[in-house]
Amino acid sequence: MRILTGRCDRLPGCLRPWASSRVFRGWFPRADRRLGIIFLCALSAVMLSGCGRKMFPHPIGAPPPPQVNDLSARVESRAVVISWTPIVAAAAKGIHYSIMKSDISWEKRNCLECPPSTQQQVESIDASAAQPGSGGRLRWTDPDVASHRAYRYQVALVNDHGISVSLSNPVIAKIYPGPVAPVDIAASTQPRGILIRWKQTPRDLAGNPIKPEDLSFRVQRRSGAGSWEDVSPLVKGDAYYDQRIAPGQGYTYRIVPVRYIDEENVYGEPSREISTRGPHSMLPPPPGKVWVTPGHGGLEVHWSEGGVKTAGFYVYRKQGKQIVRLTASPVLHPPFVDRGVNGRRGYSYAVSAVSALPRHKEGLLSGWVAVGNLLTH
């Protein structure tokens, strides 16, 4: 018996027996059989996913768009430098960093939530071609700033069609005169490093005095034709002892003054440069950072090489009171995979550097990094 009509082209398999059953014929006599078929069609629309068919779950929502969420600003004597962590490479294709800038009134310079009256794009950067600098961050410098003015910055991610897909956190830069550079820079080679000294000049570029408690210094260093890097935290006083150097290697130093005002650090002009060499008998410093990640059948020990020329690194493992050196010869670059571990036990790791000189002297150990059950299978 053909039970399907032009009003309903198909019933799910779990409802077809009902259309010819005695119960169905009892509910709907022959005169009302067409009405019954329409009833089953409506019922099938409700029960379609429950008739033994496997259905993929519907996604709750689309994945969130990429976004810059760690934008920061650094005020220098004649510019503002903003920086941020780049988005992942897989999301960078067809995306541009659109740098947005707005002037804000001086009275609202500390109001981060206050919306800007106007905002304009001042730069567009191809996200897939942008190259991060030191610390893995992208940087953009704005030289178009004036003293005692405030500027608000944001980075929008814009696709190839000119549509904004996300907007970063806002930052405000308050422009004050930077501090005057220190003078009488001196560098002396010590048994364990290089001692840098300078003389403070506690005033800003406009000639106004700066309180000693509001003045600090950042020591910068470069080796050969490399770029400048910060090698010290903000230092109070007039000296810094740099011990993270290679034996006999040449370095150039400069000092950047930093003024704290209006809850902000303002960087001044750097001092003159001075060059010297590390002591030839100095042991290489340990890596500044050591971390461990899980691997297939082992633990991967990573460390920061620090830019110091070495003959390699030794890796140590500690379990309880037992300390074992895992590398018979120096490892040139991280990581090192420790495959002789048990996933149910805890371990600690440390790394030392070996000097590049012919005698290959080993330096001090880094701090120990403890790990638990991190193994993957």
Coordinates of all heavy atoms in Angstrom, one line a residue, residues 59-136:
P59 N 28.3 23.3 16.3 CA 29.2 24.2 17.1 C 28.5 25.2 17.8 O 27.5 25.8 17.4 CB 30.2 24.8 16.0 CG 29.4 24.7 14.8 CD 28.5 23.5 14.9
I60 N 29.0 25.5 19.1 CA 28.3 26.5 19.9 C 28.5 27.9 19.3 O 27.6 28.7 19.3 CB 28.9 26.5 21.3 CG1 28.5 25.1 22.0 CG2 28.3 27.6 22.2 CD1 29.2 24.9 23.3
G61 N 29.6 28.1 18.7 CA 29.9 29.4 18.0 C 31.2 29.4 17.3 O 32.0 28.5 17.4
A62 N 31.4 30.4 16.4 CA 32.7 30.4 15.6 C 33.8 30.8 16.6 O 33.7 31.4 17.6 CB 32.5 31.5 14.6
P63 N 35.0 30.3 16.2 CA 36.2 30.6 17.1 C 36.4 32.1 17.1 O 36.1 32.8 16.1 CB 37.4 29.9 16.3 CG 36.9 29.7 14.9 CD 35.4 29.5 15.0
P64 N 36.9 32.6 18.2 CA 37.1 34.1 18.4 C 38.1 34.6 17.4 O 39.1 33.9 17.1 CB 37.5 34.3 19.8 CG 38.1 32.9 20.2 CD 37.3 31.9 19.5
P65 N 38.0 35.8 16.9 CA 39.0 36.3 15.9 C 40.3 36.6 16.7 O 40.3 36.8 17.9 CB 38.3 37.6 15.4 CG 37.4 38.0 16.5 CD 36.9 36.7 17.1
P66 N 41.4 36.6 15.9 CA 42.7 37.0 16.6 C 42.6 38.4 17.1 O 41.9 39.3 16.6 CB 43.7 36.9 15.4 CG 42.9 37.0 14.2 CD 41.6 36.4 14.5
Q67 N 43.4 38.7 18.2 CA 43.3 40.0 18.8 C 44.7 40.3 19.5 O 45.3 39.4 20.0 CB 42.2 40.0 19.9 CG 42.1 41.4 20.5 CD 40.9 41.4 21.5 OE1 40.4 40.3 21.9 NE2 40.5 42.6 21.9
V68 N 45.1 41.5 19.5 CA 46.2 42.0 20.3 C 45.7 42.4 21.6 O 44.8 43.3 21.7 CB 46.9 43.2 19.6 CG1 48.0 43.8 20.5 CG2 47.5 42.7 18.2
N69 N 46.2 41.8 22.7 CA 45.7 42.1 24.0 C 46.7 42.5 25.0 O 46.5 42.5 26.2 CB 44.9 40.9 24.6 CG 45.6 39.6 24.5 OD1 46.9 39.6 24.5 ND2 44.9 38.5 24.5
D70 N 48.0 42.7 24.5 CA 49.0 43.2 25.5 C 49.8 44.4 25.0 O 51.0 44.5 25.1 CB 50.0 42.0 25.7 CG 50.7 41.5 24.4 OD1 50.3 42.0 23.3 OD2 51.7 40.8 24.5
L71 N 49.1 45.3 24.3 CA 49.7 46.5 23.8 C 50.3 47.3 25.0 O 49.6 47.5 26.0 CB 48.7 47.3 23.1 CG 49.2 48.6 22.4 CD1 50.1 48.2 21.2 CD2 48.0 49.4 21.8
S72 N 51.5 47.8 24.8 CA 52.1 48.7 25.8 C 52.8 49.9 25.1 O 53.1 49.8 23.9 CB 53.1 47.9 26.6 OG 54.2 47.4 25.8
A73 N 53.0 50.9 25.9 CA 53.7 52.1 25.3 C 54.8 52.5 26.2 O 54.8 52.4 27.4 CB 52.7 53.3 25.2
R74 N 55.9 53.0 25.5 CA 57.1 53.5 26.2 C 57.4 54.9 25.7 O 57.5 55.1 24.5 CB 58.3 52.6 25.9 CG 59.6 53.1 26.4 CD 60.6 52.0 26.3 NE 62.0 52.5 26.3 CZ 63.1 51.7 26.5 NH1 62.9 50.4 26.8 NH2 64.3 52.2 26.4
V75 N 57.4 55.8 26.6 CA 57.7 57.2 26.3 C 59.2 57.5 26.3 O 59.8 57.3 27.4 CB 56.9 58.2 27.3 CG1 57.2 59.6 26.9 CG2 55.4 57.9 27.3
E76 N 59.7 58.0 25.2 CA 61.1 58.4 25.1 C 61.1 59.9 25.0 O 60.1 60.6 25.0 CB 61.7 57.7 23.9 CG 61.7 56.1 24.1 CD 62.5 55.4 23.0 OE1 62.9 56.1 22.0 OE2 62.7 54.2 23.2
S77 N 62.3 60.4 24.9 CA 62.5 61.9 25.0 C 61.8 62.6 23.8 O 61.3 63.7 23.9 CB 64.0 62.2 25.0 OG 64.7 61.7 23.9
R78 N 61.8 61.9 22.6 CA 61.2 62.6 21.4 C 60.3 61.7 20.6 O 60.1 61.9 19.5 CB 62.4 63.1 20.5 CG 63.2 64.2 21.1 CD 64.3 64.7 20.2 NE 65.0 65.8 20.7 CZ 66.0 65.8 21.5 NH1 66.5 64.6 21.9 NH2 66.6 66.8 22.0
A79 N 59.8 60.6 21.3 CA 59.0 59.7 20.5 C 58.2 58.8 21.5 O 58.5 58.8 22.7 CB 59.8 58.8 19.6
V80 N 57.2 58.1 21.0 CA 56.5 57.0 21.7 C 56.7 55.7 21.0 O 56.5 55.7 19.8 CB 55.0 57.4 21.9 CG1 54.3 56.2 22.5 CG2 54.8 58.6 22.7
V81 N 57.1 54.7 21.7 CA 57.3 53.4 21.1 C 56.2 52.5 21.7 O 56.2 52.2 22.9 CB 58.7 52.8 21.4 CG1 58.9 51.4 20.8 CG2 59.8 53.7 20.9
I82 N 55.4 51.9 20.8 CA 54.4 51.0 21.2 C 54.8 49.6 20.8 O 55.5 49.4 19.8 CB 53.0 51.3 20.7 CG1 52.9 51.2 19.2 CG2 52.5 52.7 21.2 CD1 51.5 51.3 18.6
S83 N 54.5 48.6 21.6 CA 54.9 47.2 21.2 C 53.8 46.2 21.6 O 52.9 46.5 22.5 CB 56.2 46.9 22.0 OG 56.0 46.8 23.4
W84 N 53.8 45.1 21.0 CA 52.8 44.0 21.2 C 53.3 42.7 20.8 O 54.2 42.6 19.9 CB 51.5 44.4 20.6 CG 51.5 44.4 19.1 CD1 51.2 43.4 18.2 CD2 51.9 45.5 18.2 NE1 51.4 43.8 16.9 CE2 51.8 45.1 16.9 CE3 52.3 46.8 18.5 CZ2 52.1 46.0 15.8 CZ3 52.6 47.7 17.4 CH2 52.5 47.2 16.1
T85 N 52.7 41.6 21.3 CA 53.0 40.3 20.8 C 52.3 40.0 19.5 O 51.1 40.2 19.4 CB 52.6 39.2 21.9 OG1 53.3 39.5 23.1 CG2 52.9 37.8 21.4
P86 N 53.0 39.5 18.5 CA 52.3 39.3 17.2 C 51.3 38.1 17.3 O 51.4 37.2 18.2 CB 53.4 38.9 16.3 CG 54.5 38.4 17.2 CD 54.4 39.2 18.4
I87 N 50.3 38.1 16.5 CA 49.3 37.1 16.5 C 50.0 35.8 15.8 O 51.0 35.9 15.2 CB 48.0 37.4 15.7 CG1 48.4 37.8 14.2 CG2 47.3 38.6 16.4 CD1 47.2 38.1 13.4
V88 N 49.4 34.7 16.0 CA 50.0 33.4 15.5 C 50.0 33.5 14.0 O 49.2 34.1 13.3 CB 49.2 32.2 16.0 CG1 49.3 32.1 17.5 CG2 47.7 32.3 15.5
A89 N 51.0 32.8 13.4 CA 51.2 32.9 12.0 C 50.1 32.4 11.2 O 49.7 32.9 10.1 CB 52.5 32.1 11.6
A90 N 49.4 31.3 11.7 CA 48.2 30.8 11.0 C 47.1 31.8 10.8 O 46.3 31.6 9.9 CB 47.7 29.5 11.7
A91 N 47.0 32.7 11.7 CA 45.9 33.7 11.6 C 46.4 35.0 11.0 O 45.5 35.9 10.8 CB 45.4 34.0 13.0
A92 N 47.6 35.1 10.6 CA 48.2 36.4 10.1 C 47.9 36.6 8.6 O 48.0 37.8 8.2 CB 49.7 36.5 10.4
K93 N 47.6 35.6 7.9 CA 47.5 35.7 6.4 C 46.2 36.6 6.1 O 45.2 36.3 6.6 CB 47.3 34.4 5.8 CG 47.3 34.4 4.3 CD 47.2 33.1 3.6 CE 47.2 33.1 2.1 NZ 47.2 31.8 1.5
G94 N 46.4 37.6 5.3 CA 45.3 38.5 5.0 C 44.9 39.5 6.0 O 43.9 40.1 5.9
I95 N 45.8 39.6 7.1 CA 45.5 40.5 8.2 C 46.5 41.6 8.3 O 47.7 41.4 8.0 CB 45.4 39.8 9.5 CG1 44.3 38.8 9.5 CG2 45.3 40.7 10.7 CD1 42.9 39.4 9.5
H96 N 46.1 42.8 8.6 CA 47.0 44.0 8.8 C 46.8 44.5 10.2 O 45.7 44.6 10.7 CB 46.7 45.1 7.7 CG 47.0 44.7 6.3 ND1 48.1 45.0 5.6 CD2 46.2 43.9 5.5 CE1 48.1 44.5 4.4 NE2 47.0 43.8 4.3
Y97 N 48.0 45.0 10.8 CA 47.9 45.7 12.0 C 47.6 47.2 11.7 O 48.5 47.8 11.0 CB 49.2 45.6 12.8 CG 49.6 44.2 13.2 CD1 50.7 43.6 12.6 CD2 48.9 43.6 14.2 CE1 51.0 42.3 13.0 CE2 49.2 42.3 14.6 CZ 50.3 41.7 14.0 OH 50.7 40.4 14.4
S98 N 46.5 47.7 12.1 CA 46.2 49.1 11.8 C 46.4 49.9 13.1 O 45.6 49.6 14.1 CB 44.7 49.2 11.3 OG 44.4 50.6 11.1
I99 N 47.3 50.7 13.2 CA 47.7 51.5 14.4 C 46.8 52.7 14.4 O 46.8 53.6 13.5 CB 49.1 51.8 14.4 CG1 50.0 50.5 14.4 CG2 49.5 52.7 15.7 CD1 51.5 50.8 14.3
M100 N 46.0 52.8 15.5 CA 45.1 53.9 15.7 C 45.6 54.9 16.7 O 46.1 54.4 17.8 CB 43.7 53.4 16.0 CG 43.2 52.3 15.2 SD 43.0 52.7 13.4 CE 41.7 53.9 13.5
K101 N 45.5 56.2 16.5 CA 46.0 57.2 17.4 C 45.0 58.3 17.6 O 44.3 58.6 16.6 CB 47.3 57.7 16.9 CG 47.9 58.9 17.7 CD 49.2 59.5 17.0 CE 49.7 60.7 17.8 NZ 50.9 61.2 17.1
S102 N 44.9 58.8 18.8 CA 44.0 59.9 19.0 C 44.7 60.9 20.0 O 45.4 60.4 21.0 CB 42.7 59.5 19.5 OG 42.8 58.7 20.7
D103 N 44.4 62.2 19.9 CA 44.8 63.1 20.9 C 43.8 63.2 22.0 O 42.6 63.2 21.7 CB 45.0 64.5 20.3 CG 46.2 64.6 19.4 OD1 46.1 64.3 18.2 OD2 47.3 65.1 20.0
I104 N 44.2 63.2 23.2 CA 43.2 63.3 24.3 C 43.6 64.5 25.1 O 44.7 65.0 25.2 CB 43.1 62.1 25.2 CG1 44.5 61.7 25.8 CG2 42.7 60.9 24.4 CD1 44.5 60.6 26.7
S105 N 42.6 65.1 25.8 CA 42.8 66.3 26.6 C 43.8 66.0 27.7 O 43.7 64.9 28.3 CB 41.5 66.9 27.1 OG 40.9 66.0 28.0
W106 N 44.6 67.0 28.1 CA 45.5 66.8 29.2 C 44.8 66.4 30.5 O 45.3 65.7 31.3 CB 46.4 68.0 29.3 CG 47.6 67.8 30.2 CD1 47.7 68.4 31.5 CD2 48.7 67.0 30.0 NE1 48.9 68.0 32.0 CE2 49.6 67.2 31.2 CE3 49.1 66.2 29.0 CZ2 50.8 66.5 31.3 CZ3 50.4 65.5 29.1 CH2 51.2 65.7 30.2
E107 N 43.6 67.0 30.7 CA 42.9 66.7 31.9 C 42.4 65.3 32.0 O 42.2 64.7 33.1 CB 41.7 67.6 32.0 CG 42.0 69.1 32.2 CD 42.5 69.7 30.9 OE1 42.3 69.1 29.8 OE2 43.1 70.8 30.9
K108 N 42.3 64.6 30.9 CA 41.8 63.2 30.8 C 43.0 62.2 30.5 O 42.7 61.1 30.1 CB 40.7 63.0 29.8 CG 39.5 63.8 30.1 CD 38.4 63.5 29.1 CE 37.1 64.3 29.4 NZ 36.0 64.0 28.4
R109 N 44.2 62.6 30.8 CA 45.4 61.8 30.4 C 45.5 60.5 31.2 O 46.2 59.6 30.8 CB 46.7 62.6 30.6 CG 47.0 63.0 32.0 CD 48.2 64.0 32.0 NE 48.6 64.4 33.3 CZ 48.0 65.4 34.0 NH1 47.0 66.1 33.5 NH2 48.5 65.7 35.2
N110 N 44.8 60.4 32.4 CA 44.8 59.2 33.2 C 43.5 58.4 33.1 O 43.3 57.5 33.9 CB 45.1 59.6 34.6 CG 46.5 60.1 34.8 OD1 47.5 59.6 34.3 ND2 46.7 61.2 35.6
C111 N 42.7 58.8 32.2 CA 41.4 58.1 32.0 C 41.5 57.2 30.8 O 41.2 57.6 29.7 CB 40.2 59.1 31.8 SG 38.6 58.3 31.7
L112 N 41.8 55.9 31.1 CA 42.0 55.0 30.0 C 40.7 54.6 29.4 O 40.6 54.2 28.2 CB 42.7 53.7 30.6 CG 43.2 52.7 29.5 CD1 44.3 53.3 28.6 CD2 43.8 51.5 30.3
E113 N 39.6 54.6 30.2 CA 38.3 54.2 29.7 C 37.5 55.3 28.9 O 36.5 55.0 28.3 CB 37.4 53.7 30.8 CG 37.9 52.5 31.6 CD 39.0 52.8 32.5 OE1 39.2 54.0 32.8 OE2 39.7 51.8 32.9
C114 N 38.0 56.5 29.0 CA 37.3 57.6 28.3 C 37.5 57.4 26.8 O 38.6 57.3 26.3 CB 37.9 59.0 28.8 SG 37.6 59.4 30.5
P115 N 36.4 57.4 26.1 CA 36.4 57.2 24.6 C 37.1 58.5 24.0 O 36.8 59.6 24.4 CB 35.0 57.0 24.2 CG 34.2 57.7 25.3 CD 35.0 57.5 26.5
P116 N 37.9 58.2 23.0 CA 38.5 59.4 22.3 C 37.4 60.1 21.4 O 36.5 59.5 20.9 CB 39.6 58.8 21.4 CG 39.1 57.4 21.1 CD 38.3 57.0 22.4
S117 N 37.6 61.4 21.3 CA 36.7 62.2 20.4 C 36.9 61.9 18.9 O 35.9 61.7 18.2 CB 36.9 63.7 20.7 OG 38.2 64.1 20.4
T118 N 38.2 61.7 18.5 CA 38.5 61.3 17.2 C 39.6 60.3 17.2 O 40.4 60.3 18.2 CB 39.0 62.5 16.3 OG1 40.1 63.1 17.0 CG2 37.8 63.5 16.2
Q119 N 39.7 59.4 16.2 CA 40.7 58.4 16.2 C 41.0 58.2 14.7 O 40.2 58.0 13.9 CB 40.2 57.1 16.8 CG 41.3 56.1 17.1 CD 40.8 54.9 17.9 OE1 39.7 54.5 17.7 NE2 41.7 54.4 18.8
Q120 N 42.3 58.2 14.4 CA 42.7 58.0 13.0 C 43.8 57.0 12.9 O 44.6 56.7 13.8 CB 43.2 59.4 12.4 CG 44.5 59.9 13.2 CD 45.0 61.2 12.5 OE1 44.6 61.5 11.4 NE2 45.9 61.9 13.2
Q121 N 43.8 56.3 11.7 CA 44.9 55.4 11.4 C 46.1 56.1 11.0 O 46.1 56.9 10.1 CB 44.4 54.4 10.3 CG 45.5 53.4 9.9 CD 45.0 52.6 8.7 OE1 44.1 51.9 8.8 NE2 45.8 52.7 7.6
V122 N 47.2 55.7 11.7 CA 48.5 56.4 11.3 C 49.5 55.4 10.7 O 50.5 55.9 10.2 CB 49.1 57.0 12.6 CG1 48.3 58.2 13.1 CG2 49.3 55.9 13.7
E123 N 49.2 54.1 10.7 CA 50.1 53.2 10.1 C 49.4 51.8 9.9 O 48.4 51.5 10.6 CB 51.3 52.9 11.0 CG 52.4 52.0 10.4 CD 53.1 52.7 9.2 OE1 53.8 53.7 9.4 OE2 52.9 52.2 8.1
S124 N 49.7 51.1 8.8 CA 49.2 49.8 8.5 C 50.4 48.9 8.2 O 51.2 49.2 7.4 CB 48.2 49.8 7.3 OG 47.7 48.6 7.0
I125 N 50.4 47.7 8.9 CA 51.5 46.8 8.8 C 51.0 45.4 8.5 O 50.0 44.9 9.1 CB 52.3 46.7 10.2 CG1 52.8 48.1 10.6 CG2 53.5 45.8 10.1 CD1 53.4 48.2 12.0
D126 N 51.6 44.8 7.4 CA 51.2 43.4 7.0 C 51.5 42.5 8.1 O 52.7 42.3 8.5 CB 51.9 43.1 5.7 CG 51.4 41.7 5.2 OD1 50.7 41.0 5.9 OD2 51.7 41.4 4.0
A127 N 50.6 41.8 8.7 CA 50.8 40.9 9.9 C 51.7 39.7 9.5 O 52.5 39.3 10.3 CB 49.5 40.5 10.5
S128 N 51.5 39.2 8.3 CA 52.3 38.1 7.9 C 53.8 38.4 7.5 O 54.6 37.5 7.5 CB 51.7 37.4 6.6 OG 51.6 38.3 5.5
A129 N 54.1 39.7 7.3 CA 55.5 40.1 7.0 C 56.2 40.8 8.1 O 57.4 41.0 8.0 CB 55.5 41.0 5.7
A130 N 55.5 41.1 9.2 CA 56.1 41.8 10.3 C 57.1 40.9 11.0 O 56.8 39.8 11.3 CB 55.0 42.3 11.3
Q131 N 58.2 41.5 11.3 CA 59.3 40.8 12.0 C 59.5 41.3 13.4 O 59.8 42.5 13.6 CB 60.6 40.9 11.3 CG 60.6 40.3 9.9 CD 60.4 38.8 9.9 OE1 61.0 38.1 10.8 NE2 59.7 38.3 8.9
P132 N 59.3 40.4 14.5 CA 59.4 40.9 15.8 C 60.9 41.1 16.2 O 61.8 40.6 15.6 CB 58.8 39.7 16.6 CG 59.0 38.5 15.8 CD 58.8 39.0 14.4
G133 N 61.1 42.0 17.2 CA 62.4 42.3 17.6 C 62.8 41.5 18.9 O 62.3 40.4 19.1
S134 N 63.6 42.1 19.7 CA 64.0 41.4 20.9 C 62.8 41.2 21.8 O 61.9 42.0 21.9 CB 65.1 42.3 21.7 OG 64.5 43.5 22.0
G135 N 62.8 40.0 22.5 CA 61.7 39.7 23.3 C 60.5 39.2 22.6 O 59.4 38.9 23.1
G136 N 60.6 39.0 21.2 CA 59.5 38.5 20.4 C 58.4 39.4 20.2 O 57.3 39.0 19.9

